[in-house]
Amino acid sequence: MNFTLLVTVVLTALAFVGVVIALSRLISPRSYNAQKFEAYECGIPTRGKSWMQFRVGYYLFAILFLMFDVETAFLFPWAAVMKDMGVQGLISVLFFFIILVLGLAYAWRKGALEWK
């Protein structure tokens, strides 16, 4: 019974997605303008090539920011129930902070936080 329910849900989801994609292709307006495929940069026409390589440092900095931002978001539920958790909750969050600090120290040591 559970397998039949799972198959029914998956097939319904796939059918729904297929119908929505087909309807959007039928209803959506179409514009075949050459300007549509140009790079848009604040309304100013680009000069030269608009495709260029970025340094990997920017990417690493952004990933580190997202990682620490998401990890600090995990602290809000802990703060809400801190009184109920007792010493075990405090130890687990201290362990979490140690992992955060070690990750930051590793990124710092590798030079991911330096702009060159």
Side-chain angles (χ1 to χ4, degrees):
M1 180 172 166
N2 289 336
F3 181 71
T4 306
L5 181 63
L6 177 69
V7 169
T8 305
V9 168
V10 168
L11 289 177
T12 304
L14 289 175
F16 181 72
V17 168
V19 167
V20 168
I21 290 175
L23 280 175
S24 70
R25 287 191 181 253
L26 288 173
I27 297 173
S28 67
R30 291 175 184 83
S31 172
Y32 300 106
N33 190 350
Q35 276 187 331
K36 182 177 179 180
F37 300 107
E38 288 184 10
Y40 180 76
E41 194 67 37
C42 302
I44 301 171
T46 57
R47 296 182 197 151
K49 295 190 322 183
S50 59
W51 293 100
M52 61 184 196
Q53 291 182 341
F54 289 97
R55 292 177 31 120
V56 74
Y58 301 128
Y59 174 75
L60 288 175
F61 196 83
I63 292 295
L64 284 170
F65 172 76
L66 286 175
M67 182 179 73
F68 284 104
D69 188 41
V70 169
E71 287 177 350
T72 54
F74 285 129
L75 294 176
F76 289 116
W78 171 79
V81 295
M82 185 178 74
K83 289 182 183 178
D84 299 335
M85 295 180 71
V87 176
Q88 183 180 3
L90 181 64
I91 291 172
S92 65
V93 167
L94 287 176
F95 183 69
F96 182 74
F97 273 130
I98 289 170
I99 292 173
L100 275 176
V101 169
L102 287 176
L104 182 62
Y106 178 77
W108 196 341
R109 178 89 174 178
K110 288 291 184 178
L113 302 177
E114 295 177 9
W115 294 101
K116 294 180 183 178

